[in-house]
């Protein structure tokens, strides 16, 4: 995003509060001055990037993308929404991630890119279900319903829209919009009485609350009036249209006003008020230059032409030219049919035939386009069903894995506790036996007792390690920003006593800040760094190198040493519990550290692996999502 001139704030105001204030001011300005609101959002993003606050940077980008989408700047909106999505994934903010996915779906949908739109919306819906984000889920279902309606898949459209209604919280301000979409669908299917019932519910829910009506009240009233017109109830439609017009004038909604003028003209014409109808059409056409909405203008010109005593042919030709220039094929067909009738009545059969042939060609094109949309809808539905089945299968596997891990942890915990008593008895009776033998005990007896006591002590250590391993899996992750460079520096200081009397060269590259559980990540790096020190003991100079690389799926952190290495054919045994590739007589340890490393990294959504050759050192790597 580009830089913008900063606002003035008190010097003592923390940067985070400045950002929050900028975002709040932008929200207030969005409806009044979109350009100024974008300027404030750019300031907020620049400041968040400066202080390295990815959460607020993501919020600013998402708010900016939403405003750009509403202002039809779809390229910029898509870019900023994608950037926001990456930041939310980096910080682990799954609720905001769902909103970013939803916005990307809306951006694609408004450009009739229904395939990617459905994929983004379905992903947002799945994530919203997992996180309990009902508001986002309802919005996704509503928009999936709109897409299915556009594609002619009316059954799927109703399923999504009713799903949205069931998901909204009571009193949610978006309920009337979804009801309006359902009513439009009924009207498209010719179910005008049913549409009328739903639209009356919509108006009842969207009525004045605390002195304010729903922002789309004029649209709802206009849609209800159109349904009354379909039923031939023009006298009832007129007062609704007059009220809707007053609302559009109060809010400055010129597009809805233009459509209301068209509907007023139609009702006045149906009631025999032709002069009043012409006045309404003229007022609507006067807005055309400001609104620049081809569909509304074409329809106004068609309806107005029917009332002109002269110049009717010219008016229809103007409507046809505009419809052709903007690709409105359904309106082209309607104008051609009107021109066929007009030319035939005038005895101009040649032009009438030409318009008739073009009309029939348009019918075929519209039929083929409808078939293509239906095929696209079926493909999207197939892909959504397949995605849903895969997600359900994955969820079932995850539940099975979770249950297996819980049972394994419980088993480990139980066994560890059950083993303590006999180990204590062995150690205790060995001590009693040593006292009973006293100073006259033979060297052989004392050696045997030493073996028993040493084995009991080692078994007790293994039990402690096993308990720690089981407890670690039960602890919830506490993700936050962790500076890896600072953490490695602290661990080197802790490991300094282990380097006494040795020559150790540390080579530490630039390390990033990551989102992780700081306590668990400390265990990972402590294990890897202490192992590097341990297995490089035989070298005259130990060289330990630490660096990070940004890969396709996140950061990859590497710890390399020039120690004894290991045989790569036993690589898979490295991360098993109590697995060792070197005898305890050469290198101390119980074989649990790398198993802990693997479990911690996998809980963070990453992987761990190792590369080595005997006698040539080893490199351990682990990944963390960006």
């Amino acid at each position: 995003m580009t830089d913008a001139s900063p606002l003035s704030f008190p010097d003592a105001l923390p940067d985070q509060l400045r950002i929050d204030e900028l975002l709040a001011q932008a929200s207030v300005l969005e409806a009044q001055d979109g350009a100024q609101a974008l300027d404030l959002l750019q300031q907020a993003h620049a400041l968040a990037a400066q202080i390295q606050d990815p959460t607020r940077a993501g919020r600013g980008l998402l708010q900016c993308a939403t405003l750009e989408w509403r202002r039809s700047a779809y390229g910029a909106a898509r870019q900023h929404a994608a950037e926001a999505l990456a930041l939310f994934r980096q910080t682990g903010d799954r609720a905001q991630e769902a909103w970013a996915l939803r916005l990307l779906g809306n951006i694609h949908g408004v450009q009739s890119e229904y395939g990617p739109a459905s994929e983004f919306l379905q992903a947002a819906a799945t994530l919203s279900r997992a996180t309990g984000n009902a508001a986002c889920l309802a919005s996704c279902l509503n928009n999936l319903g709109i897409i299915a309606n556009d594609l002619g898949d009316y059954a799927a459209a109703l399923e999504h829209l009713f799903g949205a209604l069931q998901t909204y919280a009571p009193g949610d301000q978006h309920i009337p919009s979804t009801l309006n979409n359902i009513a439009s669908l009924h009207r498209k299917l010719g179910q005008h009485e049913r549409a009328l019932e739903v639209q009356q519910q919509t108006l009842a829910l969207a009525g004045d609350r605390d002195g304010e009506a729903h922002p789309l009240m004029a649209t709802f009233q206009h849609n209800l009036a159109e349904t009354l017109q379909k039923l031939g109830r023009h006298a009832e439609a007129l007062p609704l249209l007059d009220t809707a017009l007053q609302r559009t004038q109060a809010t400055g909604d010129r597009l809805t006003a233009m459509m209301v003028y068209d509907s007023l003209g139609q009702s006045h014409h149906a009631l025999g008020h032709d002069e009043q109808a012409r006045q309404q059409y003229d007022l609507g056409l006067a807005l055309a230059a400001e609104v620049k909405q081809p569909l509304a203008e074409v329809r106004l010109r068609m309806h107005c032409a029917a009332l002109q005593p002269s110049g009717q042919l010219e008016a229809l030709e103007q409507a046809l030219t505009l419809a052709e220039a903007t690709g409105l094929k359904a309106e082209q067909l309607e104008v051609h049919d009107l021109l066929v009738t007009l030319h035939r009545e005038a005895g101009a059969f040649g032009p009438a035939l030409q318009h008739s042939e073009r009309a029939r060609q348009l019918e075929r094109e519209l039929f083929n386009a409808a078939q293509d949309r239906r095929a696209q809808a079926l493909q999207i539905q197939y892909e959504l069903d397949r995605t849903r089945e895969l997600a359900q299968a994955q969820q079932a596997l995850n539940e099975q894995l979770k249950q297996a891990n819980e049972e394994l942890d419980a088993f480990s915990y139980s066994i560890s506790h059950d083993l303590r008593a006999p180990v204590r008895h062995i150690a205790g009776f060995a001590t009693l036996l040593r006292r009973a033998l006293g100073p006259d005990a033979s060297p052989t007896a004392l050696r045997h007792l030493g073996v028993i006591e040493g084995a009991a002590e080692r078994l007790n250590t293994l039990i402690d390690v096993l308990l720690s391993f089981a407890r670690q899996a039960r602890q919830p992750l506490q993700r936050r920003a962790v500076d890896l460079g600072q953490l490695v520096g602290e661990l080197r200081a802790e490991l300094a006593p282990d380097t006494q009397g040795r020559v150790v060269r540390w080579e530490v590259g630039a390390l990033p800040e990551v989102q992780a559980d700081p306590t668990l990540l400390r265990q990972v790096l402590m294990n890897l760094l202490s192992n590097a020190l341990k297995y490089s003991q035989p070298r005259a100079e130990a060289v330990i190198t630490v660096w990070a690389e940004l890969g396709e799926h996140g950061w990859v952190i590497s710890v390399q040493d020039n120690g004894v290495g290991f045989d790569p054919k036993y690589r898979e045994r490295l991360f098993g519990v109590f697995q060792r590739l070197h005898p305890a007589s050469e290198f101390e340890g119980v074989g649990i550290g790398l198993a802990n490393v693997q479990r911690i990294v996998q809980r963070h959504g990453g992987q761990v692996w190792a590369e080595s050759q005997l006698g040539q050192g080893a490199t351990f790597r682990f990944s963390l999502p960006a």
Side-chain angles (χ1 to χ4, degrees), residues 185-219:
L185 182 55
H186 282 300
R187 200 169 71 195
K188 184 181 288 188
L189 294 170
Q191 302 167 350
H192 301 303
E193 292 289 353
R194 179 58 184 147
L196 190 64
E197 292 176 13
V198 177
Q199 285 168 330
Q200 288 169 340
Q201 294 176 24
T202 303
L203 284 185
L205 286 173
D208 290 346
R209 296 182 183 181
D210 301 325
E212 291 188 8
H214 194 284
L216 295 178
M217 176 61 91
T219 299

Side-chain angles (χ1 to χ4, degrees), residues 183-376:
S184 298
L185 182 55
H186 282 300
R187 200 169 71 195
K188 184 181 288 188
L189 294 170
Q191 302 167 350
H192 301 303
E193 292 289 353
R194 179 58 184 147
L196 190 64
E197 292 176 13
V198 177
Q199 285 168 330
Q200 288 169 340
Q201 294 176 24
T202 303
L203 284 185
L205 286 173
D208 290 346
R209 296 182 183 181
D210 301 325
E212 291 188 8
H214 194 284
L216 295 178
M217 176 61 91
T219 299
F220 300 153
Q221 290 173 324
H222 175 240
N223 290 347
L224 175 55
E226 283 192 319
T227 303
L228 289 170
Q229 289 175 328
K230 292 289 185 181
L231 293 168
R233 295 159 62 175
H234 292 279
E236 296 176 56
L238 281 176
L240 263 177
L241 291 169
D242 287 333
T243 304
L245 185 60
Q246 292 172 10
R247 289 188 183 277
T248 63
Q249 292 169 341
T251 60
D253 184 355
R254 292 182 176 86
L255 173 57
T256 304
M258 191 173 171
M259 293 188 291
V260 171
Y261 279 126
D262 184 38
S263 295
L264 279 166
Q266 291 179 65
S267 284
H268 279 298
H269 177 53
L271 293 170
H273 311 151
D274 288 352
E275 183 58 34
Q276 290 172 284
R278 275 192 291 270
Q279 291 175 2
Q280 301 301 325
Y281 290 141
D282 288 341
L283 288 169
L285 287 171
L287 291 174
E290 302 175 36
V291 176
K292 298 187 184 304
Q293 219 294 336
L295 175 60
E297 184 177 350
V298 168
R299 300 197 67 79
L300 273 165
R301 291 191 180 281
M302 281 194 299
H303 297 147
C304 186
L307 295 177
Q308 293 184 3
S310 62
Q312 189 174 5
L313 179 61
E314 181 183 353
L316 287 175
E317 292 288 358
Q318 289 177 347
L320 180 59
T321 299
L322 179 59
E324 289 175 339
T326 53
L328 298 171
K329 290 190 176 183
E331 284 64 37
Q332 291 176 46
L333 172 61
E334 193 171 348
V335 176
H336 277 297
D337 283 337
L338 290 173
L339 285 167
V340 167
T341 302
L342 193 62
H343 282 297
R344 187 180 294 155
E345 290 174 350
F349 297 109
L353 179 60
Q354 291 176 359
H355 285 294
S356 178
E357 290 175 347
R358 179 57 181 148
R360 303 296 72 79
Q361 181 184 349
L362 284 166
E363 281 183 341
R364 290 190 294 271
E365 291 176 4
L366 288 168
F367 175 80
N368 292 336
Q371 293 298 99
D372 289 342
R373 287 196 302 273
R374 180 59 180 162
Q376 187 179 4

Side-chain angles (χ1 to χ4, degrees), residues 397-471:
L397 287 173
N398 290 341
E399 289 296 328
Q400 292 175 12
L401 180 60
K402 179 182 177 182
Q403 183 178 358
N405 284 333
E406 289 175 349
E407 291 174 354
L408 180 59
D409 293 337
F411 176 75
S412 300
Y413 199 78
S414 174
I415 290 297
S416 300
H417 273 84
D418 292 344
L419 285 175
R420 281 202 182 278
V423 170
R424 282 198 302 270
H425 291 159
I426 293 170
F429 279 105
T431 300
L432 291 174
L433 184 56
R434 182 182 292 276
R435 290 176 183 171
L437 292 174
D440 297 330
S442 68
T444 301
L446 293 175
R447 186 171 65 254
H448 290 166
L449 282 173
V451 170
I452 294 172
E453 290 169 338
E457 183 178 354
R458 176 170 173 76
L459 184 55
N460 207 42
T461 300
L462 292 175
I463 291 170
D464 288 337
V465 169
L466 193 58
L467 278 172
S468 175
F469 187 68
R471 288 193 192 104

Side-chain angles (χ1 to χ4, degrees), residues 58-91:
R59 283 171 48 204
L61 283 168
L62 185 61
Q63 193 171 334
C64 181
T66 302
L67 181 54
E68 288 165 336
W69 165 60
R70 289 172 180 163
R71 292 166 62 88
S72 302
Y74 301 128
R78 186 181 304 187
Q79 176 186 341
H80 291 144
E83 292 174 4
L85 177 63
L87 286 172
F88 294 139
R89 284 175 170 169
Q90 174 186 331
T91 58

